[in-house]
């Protein structure tokens, strides 16, 4: 049956979206997604800084000289 004033098709789409969002949330919790993503981002950013340290230090020096 339709929910409120929504036509049946939109109501069904809404229910499916809610079901998918809940499944996504449950999956993220089950695999500790936020912590794992943060670890990957941290590792990637650390590697970037290590790979580009001299350029980053030169950029910092240039900005410090302008101040």
């Amino acid at each position: 049956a339709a929910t409120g004033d929504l036509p049946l098709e939109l109501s069904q789409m809404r229910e499916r979206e809610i079901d998918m969002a809940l499944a996504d949330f449950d999956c993220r919790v089950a695999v500790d997604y936020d912590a794992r993503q943060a670890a990957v981002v941290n590792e990637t950013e650390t590697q970037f800084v290590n790979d580009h340290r001299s350029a980053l230090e030169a950029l910092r020096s240039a900005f410090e000289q302008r101040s």
Side-chain angles (χ1 to χ4, degrees), residues 6-31:
L6 292 177
L8 179 59
E9 185 175 319
L10 288 177
S11 178
Q12 290 171 337
M13 287 174 55
R14 180 178 172 190
E15 288 177 27
R16 180 182 164 120
E17 286 179 346
I18 291 170
D19 289 343
M20 288 180 12
L22 291 172
D24 180 62
F25 177 78
D26 290 342
C27 180
R28 284 172 178 259
V29 169
V31 300

Side-chain angles (χ1 to χ4, degrees), residues 49-62:
V49 169
N50 290 338
D51 290 348
H52 300 92
R53 184 169 304 282
S54 61
L56 292 168
E57 288 175 355
L59 184 60
R60 180 178 61 188
S61 292

Side-chain angles (χ1 to χ4, degrees), residues 25-45:
F25 177 78
D26 290 342
C27 180
R28 284 172 178 259
V29 169
V31 300
D32 199 18
Y33 179 85
D34 292 333
R36 293 173 75 183
Q37 180 190 33
V40 169
V41 167
N42 185 45
E43 181 181 331
T44 303
E45 289 174 347

